[in-house]
Amino acid sequence: MIKKLLIAIAGTALVSLASAQTGDAVKETGKAASEETKAAGDQIKAAGHSGPRKQVDKAKARAHKASARVHRHRAKAAADAAVN
């Protein structure tokens, strides 16, 4: 009876040890795969980008300016409502 109990405990210990090592290996493999994917994405972006594009920057600036204007008007309206 004691022999069976010792065998069961030893088997459980071996299984838990093996699963712990497997878990670490899986985590490391997942990290490596995500880093490779990110690096490939960066390479694709770099290949497609030829340099600064003035029109894109101007369009972003106009969109930001419009957004800031809306925000400014909403903030002013909220301040006026708080005073009244």
Side-chain angles (χ1 to χ4, degrees):
M1 176 95 171
I2 294 177
K3 186 175 181 181
K4 289 182 182 181
L5 180 63
L6 289 176
I7 291 173
I9 291 173
T12 305
L14 288 175
V15 168
S16 64
L17 180 63
S19 66
Q21 289 177 349
T22 304
D24 292 339
V26 169
K27 286 180 188 176
E28 290 176 13
T29 303
K31 286 181 184 177
S34 67
E35 288 173 1
E36 287 178 13
T37 304
K38 186 175 180 181
D42 291 342
Q43 289 175 352
I44 290 171
K45 284 181 186 177
H49 186 65
S50 61
R53 294 183 298 187
K54 194 172 184 180
Q55 292 299 326
V56 173
D57 293 339
K58 282 186 175 184
K60 285 182 182 178
R62 281 192 296 269
H64 176 73
K65 187 176 180 181
S67 174
R69 183 171 188 250
V70 169
H71 179 72
R72 183 177 70 234
H73 286 290
R74 286 184 183 166
K76 184 179 180 197
D80 289 343
V83 171
N84 294 333

